[in-house]
Amino acid sequence: MKTLVLVFHPDMSASRVNRPLAARAETLVDDVTVRYMYDIYPDQKVDVAAEQAALETADRVVLQFPMYWYSTPALLKQWQDDVLLYGWAYGSTGKALAGKELLVAVSTGGSSDAYSHEASYGYTITELLRPLQATANMVQMTYLKPFTTTGILTITDEALTQRAEDYAAVLQSKDLPVLEPHG
């Protein structure tokens, strides 16, 4: 399975979590390609043809990013707007991504306990990621259960090292759980 990891972090040098996760993913060179999107597009002008070509070669696409204000970084939204075009990604002739898998790898500052209906944020991480799940549905991709790393402000170095190993295992797995439409 060919996996394309698109890392959307505006400052990888300052990243405590996304940097080691992406670095660990880079060691899986056989079937995993890692692209640092803010390095490739510092001006946020996305090369649509290049991105579509990269997507076409992948079986699984991973969107890796830190959650910003309960959403994605700006470049990820720009990338979606530019790349996932009618007639290519969706519509009567838009089948380029049909049957591929989409995995979201998200990190949050808040602890996992904060993401519930009863806690301070009032929503689960899964609920906050629904726009990406809806996008996967629109382009006929299989939406996988997200890989979440929470509490990045307090995570220990040991736990972070383990999380990077967990990420590598997920990226190499051929059979990941699907998140059902309302799961």
Side-chain angles (χ1 to χ4, degrees):
M1 173 171 290
K2 292 184 186 251
T3 300
L4 176 64
V5 179
L6 304 176
V7 181
F8 290 92
H9 193 296
D11 186 3
M12 285 300 285
S13 65
S15 170
R16 179 145 186 263
V17 171
N18 281 275
R19 186 181 54 220
L21 293 182
R24 182 64 178 98
E26 281 186 301
T27 67
L28 310 173
V29 292
D30 290 340
D31 293 320
V32 177
T33 301
V34 179
R35 293 169 48 97
Y36 295 91
M37 304 307 282
Y38 275 88
D39 291 345
I40 297 170
Y41 304 115
D43 59 0
Q44 295 198 9
K45 292 183 175 149
V46 177
D47 181 338
V48 173
E51 293 306 309
Q52 289 178 344
L55 289 167
E56 287 173 349
T57 65
D59 301 305
R60 178 183 293 155
V61 178
V62 180
L63 302 177
Q64 180 185 325
F65 60 92
M67 188 172 281
Y68 280 18
W69 285 104
Y70 313 106
S71 189
T72 65
L75 182 56
L76 176 48
K77 178 61 171 98
Q78 184 67 49
W79 179 90
Q80 289 176 278
D81 291 345
D82 292 349
V83 175
L84 305 180
L85 297 175
Y86 179 84
W88 183 81
Y90 68 100
S92 62
T93 60
K95 308 287 185 215
L97 302 175
K100 296 178 186 285
E101 295 179 344
L102 179 64
L103 174 66
V104 172
V106 65
S107 58
T108 68
S111 69
S112 59
D113 294 344
Y115 291 93
S116 74
H117 297 148
E118 298 76 29
S120 57
Y121 299 141
Y123 298 93
T124 67
I125 292 173
T126 299
E127 289 170 335
L128 294 170
L129 294 174
R130 286 280 188 235
L132 294 173
Q133 186 174 15
T135 298
N137 292 341
M138 173 67 83
V139 300
Q140 300 176 49
M141 294 180 84
T142 301
Y143 188 75
L144 303 173
K145 182 180 175 193
F147 180 87
T148 60
T149 305
T150 59
I152 66 168
L153 302 175
T154 58
I155 194 170
T156 65
D157 291 342
E158 296 77 20
L160 185 53
T161 298
Q162 182 58 56
R163 204 69 192 132
E165 291 306 313
D166 295 344
Y167 190 43
V170 164
L171 293 177
Q172 292 177 313
S173 177
K174 304 283 188 241
D175 187 30
L176 294 175
V178 173
L179 188 64
E180 295 304 322
H182 301 286

